[in-house]
Amino acid sequence: MTASSTIPTTRAVATAFDLTTGLTEDRASLKRPLSAMAGMYSDTAAFDAQVARDDVLSYEFYDFDVPSLETEVAYGTSITYPGKVGDEYFMTKGHFHTRLESAEIYFCLSGQGLMLMESPEGDVQVEEFRPGRSVYVPGRYAHRSVNTSSDEPLITFFAFPGDAGHDYGTIETKGFRKIVVERDGAPVLLDNPRWGN
Amino acid sequence: MTASSTIPTTRAVATAFDLTTGLTEDRASLKRPLSAMAGMYSDTAAFDAQVARDDVLSYEFYDFDVPSLETEVAYGTSITYPGKVGDEYFMTKGHFHTRLESAEIYFCLSGQGLMLMESPEGDVQVEEFRPGRSVYVPGRYAHRSVNTSSDEPLITFFAFPGDAGHDYGTIETKGFRKIVVERDGAPVLLDNPRWGN
Ligand SMILES: [Mn+2]
Ligand SMILES: [Mn+2]
């Protein structure tokens, strides 16, 4: 990720995304193999075994590196692949925005899943992703995409203010208060037994 | 359109859009029948005759009325229907943002068309809409969607800073410098003979 400039964009930019894969050939995606998620899944034994066996790509997304200005709009697609670590669904790392108040909009292009959201004070909100469904993430809420499908990638298009910035550290350190696991073939929300550690 | 508040959004909002129509039943769209476009098409005789014959819905879109704050993100879908006035394709009114520097991102969900953009100084930019294609509209550029298909609606999802605001007046008064018309079955850009009047 390169440092964003503060010079406003002056040229239009068109980018062709493949609606089936969520990917574009116009630039390189940022790839997160499962190994990049160390410490984020509950079942650490299952995590270690799975990474040793096959360190699959768990998600990827784009950073178009728009200028870091409140008048700009950062955007891209995010693709979370199907899979589980133990009974916990594949998910993105999740983050707060550095400018905490910055909101974000997601539009689900295909697949199914959940948007898991949490405020610094511990309020938890969850919304469902289905094709055609937009999910508005209010400012101050950390957000993580969770793929609850057994076979389809969860593909979203996202947009947020250019000066929002990303704070991954808080989640990397404390985690989310809730985890999303499969029970009898369906996703349920449980308290994260490892939260805060 | 109600006045936007300046109280930040604190609850997540999920909205189910139909990917075929671009519409949602969650709220009312803003509808623009052809008659709302008086003075905006080149061929005024063709316009008057068509409105008298059948004042069809030329486009509709959503305003989710997010708070007017730079940390918020306004969003929704826009549906421009296929059709022509004379040989000029159906289009949206188009606008500058009141906070002129505010950029916007469009993501084409279906259909085909053009994004016509113009700065106050007269620089013109054009990008193509195809399914899966995003078009980034830089700040300072007025923008208008043009549907160049003969039979499909042009459906886009858009997002822009919550405090951008809309200035429709400048375009209503002067128009865009270019018009998009059909020649031998394909869209071409021509100087707008009525520009500035
Ligand atoms: Mn974000
Ligand atoms: Mn706009």
Side-chain angles (χ1 to χ4, degrees):
Chain A
M1 227 177 294
T2 56
S4 294
S5 80
T6 52
I7 301 165
T9 304
T10 56
R11 302 307 299 169
V13 179
T15 306
F17 293 95
D18 182 317
L19 282 170
T20 306
T21 64
L23 300 172
T24 177
E25 292 176 356
D26 289 13
R27 65 174 56 211
S29 69
L30 298 170
K31 296 177 198 304
R32 297 292 176 257
L34 199 55
S35 56
M37 300 289 285
M40 308 199 89
Y41 285 98
S42 292
D43 188 337
T44 54
F47 178 84
D48 291 344
Q50 194 162 332
V51 168
R53 194 172 61 241
D54 185 7
D55 186 17
V56 297
L57 181 61
S58 65
Y59 70 98
E60 57 189 310
F61 62 102
Y62 292 94
D63 180 351
F64 278 59
D65 198 29
V66 308
S68 184
L69 292 168
E70 66 200 33
T71 49
E72 299 277 331
V73 179
Y75 62 97
T77 52
S78 169
I79 304 101
T80 306
Y81 293 100
K84 284 181 293 182
V85 173
D87 53 10
E88 192 174 1
Y89 296 101
F90 273 17
M91 60 192 184
T92 63
K93 231 173 230 197
H95 57 264
F96 287 96
H97 290 149
T98 310
R99 185 173 180 179
L100 187 62
E101 297 74 20
S102 306
E104 183 160 355
I105 185 74
Y106 283 76
F107 186 90
C108 182
L109 298 169
S110 69
Q112 60 178 54
L114 297 173
M115 177 61 89
L116 183 58
M117 294 165 276
E118 172 180 317
S119 73
E121 294 77 22
D123 183 51
V124 172
Q125 301 190 52
V126 184
E127 291 291 347
E128 275 189 62
F129 282 127
R130 291 283 182 282
R133 202 168 157 100
S134 67
V135 174
Y136 187 85
V137 179
R140 306 191 75 259
Y141 279 75
H143 37 288
R144 160 180 284 172
S145 300
V146 182
N147 185 342
T148 59
S149 163
S150 58
D151 54 1
E152 269 190 303
L154 170 63
I155 305 175
T156 56
F157 183 80
F158 60 80
F160 57 91
D163 66 341
H166 290 97
D167 163 20
Y168 286 102
T170 305
I171 296 301
E172 282 172 343
T173 306
K174 301 183 74 173
F176 276 74
R177 284 170 170 86
K178 300 285 182 182
I179 60 174
V180 186
V181 300
E182 186 180 78
R183 289 286 180 272
D184 302 322
V188 297
L189 224 64
L190 300 180
D191 285 337
N192 180 358
R194 303 177 66 237
W195 182 77
N197 296 320
Chain B
M1 227 177 293
T2 57
S4 294
S5 80
T6 52
I7 301 165
T9 304
T10 57
R11 302 308 297 170
V13 180
T15 306
F17 292 94
D18 181 318
L19 283 170
T20 306
T21 64
L23 300 172
T24 176
E25 292 176 355
D26 289 15
R27 67 175 55 212
S29 70
L30 298 170
K31 297 179 199 303
R32 296 291 176 258
L34 199 55
S35 56
M37 299 290 285
M40 309 198 88
Y41 285 97
S42 292
D43 188 336
T44 54
F47 179 84
D48 292 343
Q50 195 163 331
V51 168
R53 193 173 61 241
D54 186 6
D55 186 16
V56 297
L57 182 61
S58 65
Y59 71 98
E60 56 188 312
F61 62 101
Y62 292 94
D63 179 351
F64 277 61
D65 198 29
V66 308
S68 183
L69 292 167
E70 66 201 31
T71 50
E72 299 277 331
V73 179
Y75 61 98
T77 52
S78 169
I79 304 102
T80 305
Y81 293 99
K84 283 180 294 184
V85 172
D87 54 9
E88 192 174 2
Y89 296 101
F90 273 18
M91 60 191 183
T92 64
K93 234 174 228 198
H95 57 264
F96 287 96
H97 290 149
T98 310
R99 187 174 180 179
L100 187 62
E101 296 75 19
S102 306
E104 182 159 355
I105 185 73
Y106 283 76
F107 186 89
C108 181
L109 297 169
S110 69
Q112 60 177 53
L114 298 173
M115 178 60 89
L116 183 58
M117 294 165 277
E118 171 179 318
S119 73
E121 296 76 22
D123 182 51
V124 171
Q125 301 191 53
V126 184
E127 291 291 347
E128 274 189 63
F129 282 127
R130 292 284 182 279
R133 202 169 158 100
S134 67
V135 174
Y136 188 85
V137 178
R140 306 192 74 260
Y141 279 75
H143 37 289
R144 159 180 285 172
S145 300
V146 181
N147 185 342
T148 58
S149 163
S150 58
D151 54 0
E152 270 191 303
L154 170 63
I155 304 175
T156 57
F157 183 80
F158 60 80
F160 57 91
D163 66 341
H166 291 95
D167 162 20
Y168 286 101
T170 306
I171 296 300
E172 282 172 344
T173 307
K174 300 182 76 174
F176 276 74
R177 285 169 170 85
K178 299 286 182 184
I179 59 174
V180 186
V181 300
E182 186 180 80
R183 289 285 182 272
D184 301 322
V188 297
L189 224 63
L190 300 181
D191 286 336
N192 180 358
R194 304 177 66 236
W195 182 76
N197 296 319

